[in-house]
Amino acid sequence: MNLKNQGNARQHVPISALPALCDLPFDNSFVRELPGDTETTNVPRQVRNACYTLVHPTPVRAPKLLAWAGPVGEMLGAARPDSLTGPAVEVLGGNRVLPGMKPYAARYGGHQFGHWAGQLGDGRAITLGEVIGPDGISRELQLKGAGKTPYSRTADGRAVLRSSVREFLCSEAMYYLGIPTTRALSLVATGESVVRDMFYDGNPQPETGAIVCRVAPSFVRFGNFEILTAHGELETLRRLADYVISQHFPEFSPPSTAASHISSAPSITDKSTYARWFEEICRRTGTLMAHWMRAGFVHGVMNTDNMSILGLTIDYGPYGWLEGFDLQWTPNTTDAQGRRYCFGNQADVAHWNLTRLAGALAPLVDDDAALERGLGIFVDTFQQTWQGMLADKLGLVSLEGESDNALLSDLFALLQEVETDMTLFFHGLMDVPVDMRAGDGATLHDDAALAGFLRRAFYDEQQAFASPHLGLLAGWLRRYIARAALDGAPAQSRLERMRCANPKYVLRNYLAQQAIDALEQGDASVLERIMHVLKNPYDEQPEHDVLADRRPEWARHKAGCSALSCSS
Ligand code: AMP
Ligand code: MG
């Protein structure tokens, strides 16, 4: 492990000797530096002129540790709790607040499904405090499902086990895939049940309650800025922007504010700096969208309140992983009609969301052309990164010209022709011997033999190996083989490029559901196995091959395994 000792970082400490969570020094710069709600009563209301409201988590009956992400603990410099209950677990369940913590719920608004929704805010997430890890980076610890806040509106402030397991597993899976994301430290059962109408069919049922402690340098969203501009609270807008820049984008921070303490002093950030900061947000968001597309991840609720200002994947709700490749697929039942947030729309929606952010930052930047430039940077970053990743996925040095464009668009059409597993198809392409022309000419002319390299990717093999699909697939593979030969890259480097772009293991929706079902019965072994395998998603791990298989038929229409509601 690389435990760099930078700046104010603590000394290198062997993992076994890491301090307990309760002994970490906590800070609260968000609260210290920014204007808060002057009212502290915990009742739903419209908050004005504030970035947050101070609010404590509501204690739960019997907090019990269900899972702990060791590497996240090490990142923070905290030891795994030595029992399933006790002081650290009380903190993670919201029953204990440590010195230095000033728990708060953030105020934000957002555009939901294309419409301004007004104030939303942390209705069930409460940030406890910040801690500087051994790497010198400050990160917030936030409990999701920690009880009501002034932003809860009519909802209960709680979270169910199934959605908490999904957030815990997926944030870690994304991290190991190399995709920017918030992290998850722990999963705690509350010992209380939560009533949810999972199918929105008028049948609410009690479900197991849980709390995830999630971790990120910041949970600030586009919506934190939108709400301030919407209400004309421009001084608070300026202070939030200066805070985020000084804490999280020090490269844009004037030297005197880089070490924070921006407080209410007049801004020394000039308009062009805000514009360059916006460009960086666009760049990061563009990179993030390319990663989602590469891995077949569909967020499912890309409202502007679910878009991280740091370009992280944030708020794991009714997300899903593509099984059959389908640009139109959305995991979110609420989105089934409009398909606004379907797989193939994600970059366009990100652009739309960034345009809303541009509107919110306009009073600071005061230069529409500069904001337009930022949006252009999003488009360029996404296109270049996605093209580069597609080239990697195909094992090509780069994609250029009309014939490569046609190769790609024909592939996307082909993948939707019969149900073809995205992960298995691209992983299977590594088995296609692209130097075949020199060697085995017979295979090259045998449609079924060629398609055979990809057999595992097809949900209906009979259909895949019948006309017209077989001929189309074999024809495409011949063009692909010829194209790869033109590249002339050594086989080893081609395979390495593909291996790093094409995971073997992703958090298939039914796998997450299996972890949930087992945990509901008190068995954490399924979750632990999945966590273990997803730590090396690009490695073969043959003993876990079964976790790489295509979705079994029983899972096709089972709740939680295909489409999900927002009910969590
Ligand atoms: P989401 O769709 O999960 O991003 O949530 C949208 C808004 O609803 C946010 O303000 C959430 O904090 C709030 N919210 C979602 N679920 C709950 C809940 N169970 N209790 C309180 N607020 C919630
Ligand atoms: Mg949200």
Side-chain angles (χ1 to χ4, degrees):
M1 203 180 66
N2 181 16
L3 289 173
K4 275 190 288 176
N5 187 16
Q6 304 174 341
N8 52 358
R10 288 190 296 281
Q11 291 296 312
H12 178 124
V13 181
I15 293 166
S16 56
L18 287 175
L21 183 76
C22 296
D23 294 330
L24 295 184
F26 283 94
D27 192 15
N28 49 64
S29 73
F30 192 89
V31 169
R32 201 175 55 239
E33 306 274 355
L34 292 169
D37 186 2
T38 47
E39 223 183 297
T40 49
T41 45
N42 190 3
V43 289
R45 59 199 151 80
Q46 293 295 311
V47 174
R48 290 285 183 265
N49 276 308
C51 294
Y52 62 87
T53 303
L54 290 175
V55 58
H56 274 224
T58 305
V60 296
R61 196 166 64 81
K64 184 179 154 208
L65 187 67
L66 295 177
W68 170 265
V72 181
E74 288 159 30
M75 181 176 82
L76 298 171
R80 177 186 292 270
D82 47 21
S83 88
L84 301 184
T85 57
V89 181
E90 286 166 24
V91 173
L92 299 169
N95 286 17
R96 181 191 280 245
V97 171
L98 297 172
M101 291 177 167
K102 284 216 168 138
Y104 73 87
R107 173 179 176 231
Y108 56 81
H111 281 83
Q112 298 186 313
F113 293 90
H115 304 282
W116 175 242
Q119 176 179 296
L120 299 166
D122 286 330
R124 57 171 166 173
I126 294 180
T127 289
L128 295 175
E130 303 145 16
V131 66
I132 297 175
D135 57 4
I137 297 174
S138 171
R139 296 182 181 87
E140 291 189 8
L141 267 62
Q142 182 178 84
L143 303 183
K144 184 166 174 182
K148 284 187 186 171
T149 78
Y151 306 97
S152 299
R153 293 171 288 164
T154 55
D156 61 5
R158 293 300 186 192
V160 292
L161 180 68
R162 61 185 157 82
S163 69
S164 307
V165 169
R166 284 169 49 81
E167 170 131 17
F168 181 81
L169 274 176
C170 199
S171 33
E172 290 307 281
M174 294 289 265
Y175 171 75
Y176 290 104
L177 282 165
I179 303 179
T181 180
T182 62
R183 305 288 303 271
L185 173 67
S186 60
L187 175 67
V188 167
T190 59
E192 295 175 3
S193 56
V194 178
V195 176
R196 287 287 180 274
D197 187 354
M198 182 172 165
F199 301 106
Y200 291 147
D201 63 356
N203 260 318
Q205 299 289 329
E207 295 189 46
T208 312
I211 295 175
V212 170
C213 177
R214 51 186 190 179
V215 176
S218 171
F219 289 93
V220 170
R221 303 129 192 278
F222 292 5
N224 296 63
F225 298 93
E226 288 180 278
I227 189 90
L228 298 173
T229 306
H231 289 286
E233 298 168 14
L234 302 186
E235 178 54 19
T236 308
L237 173 75
R238 195 269 304 162
R239 287 181 63 182
L240 179 63
D242 286 0
Y243 169 83
V244 168
I245 291 172
S246 74
Q247 292 280 322
H248 305 294
F249 295 84
E251 64 274 32
F252 299 115
S253 194
S256 57
T257 62
S260 99
H261 300 299
I262 50 157
S263 68
S264 54
S267 177
I268 49 171
T269 311
D270 61 31
K271 292 174 179 176
S272 68
T273 304
Y274 292 123
R276 285 191 297 122
W277 168 56
F278 178 66
E279 287 176 4
E280 176 61 16
I281 298 165
C282 289
R283 205 172 282 121
R284 291 189 189 191
T285 308
T287 306
L288 182 68
M289 290 308 112
H291 273 295
W292 286 1
M293 298 304 286
R294 167 178 76 85
F297 175 80
V298 190
H299 183 284
V301 210
M302 286 178 70
N303 295 327
T304 55
D305 54 301
N306 290 337
M307 298 290 293
S308 150
I309 206 72
L310 301 186
L312 307 172
T313 313
I314 192 172
D315 272 17
Y316 292 89
Y319 68 82
W321 294 82
L322 273 200
E323 283 167 331
F325 183 92
D326 180 359
L327 292 164
Q328 292 286 309
W329 186 70
T330 173
N332 183 352
T333 51
T334 315
D335 193 32
Q337 283 246 297
R339 301 196 176 258
R340 180 181 176 85
Y341 298 142
C342 69
F343 178 57
N345 259 7
Q346 298 193 109
D348 284 351
V349 171
H351 185 268
W352 192 90
N353 289 343
L354 283 164
T355 310
R356 304 285 82 70
L357 179 64
L361 299 184
L364 300 176
V365 176
D366 198 21
D367 178 353
D368 288 353
L371 291 166
E372 284 294 341
R373 265 198 310 280
L375 294 171
I377 285 177
F378 167 80
V379 173
D380 293 347
T381 306
F382 172 70
Q383 278 175 355
Q384 281 166 20
T385 315
W386 177 217
Q387 285 291 108
M389 287 176 176
L390 279 169
D392 289 343
K393 288 181 85 64
L394 295 173
L396 301 174
V397 174
S398 64
L399 289 167
E400 278 151 32
E402 277 310 304
S403 65
D404 280 354
N405 277 344
L407 189 73
L408 266 182
S409 52
D410 292 349
L411 172 62
F412 284 179
L414 182 67
L415 290 174
Q416 303 200 88
E417 197 73 27
V418 303
E419 198 182 2
T420 308
D421 191 275
M422 175 177 178
T423 305
L424 288 169
F425 183 89
F426 281 100
H427 198 262
L429 271 187
M430 284 193 263
D431 296 332
V432 176
V434 294
D435 53 358
M436 237 182 316
R437 283 199 306 190
D440 187 355
T443 306
L444 194 60
H445 296 291
D446 180 339
D447 287 3
L450 269 183
F453 290 112
L454 296 156
R455 182 179 301 276
R456 291 177 63 219
F458 301 115
Y459 282 84
D460 182 339
E461 270 185 39
Q462 228 175 358
Q463 196 189 14
F465 280 77
S467 176
H469 181 263
L470 180 63
L472 291 170
L473 173 63
W476 186 86
L477 283 170
R478 282 187 201 101
R479 280 164 66 199
Y480 168 62
I481 290 166
R483 173 63 183 84
L486 276 184
D487 249 10
Q492 212 39 47
S493 71
R494 172 179 167 275
L495 284 178
E496 192 49 24
R497 191 173 308 121
M498 291 179 89
R499 200 186 64 81
C500 297
N502 294 316
K504 173 171 175 180
Y505 299 96
V506 295
L507 183 62
R508 290 173 181 278
N509 309 311
Y510 85 94
L511 291 176
Q513 189 58 41
Q514 286 184 322
I516 294 163
D517 291 344
L519 208 56
E520 294 271 11
Q521 305 303 314
D523 173 8
S525 66
V526 180
L527 179 139
E528 282 162 9
R529 179 178 180 199
I530 293 172
M531 272 281 271
H532 171 77
V533 172
L534 293 178
K535 277 186 180 152
N536 296 292
Y538 302 100
D539 289 357
E540 277 304 319
Q541 308 184 70
E543 69 279 26
H544 297 295
D545 267 352
V546 65
L547 300 186
D549 275 347
R550 58 181 185 242
R551 176 201 58 226
E553 275 313 301
W554 61 258
R556 182 179 289 275
H557 299 296
K558 187 174 184 293
C561 297
S562 50
L564 295 112
S565 73
C566 286
S567 153
S568 60

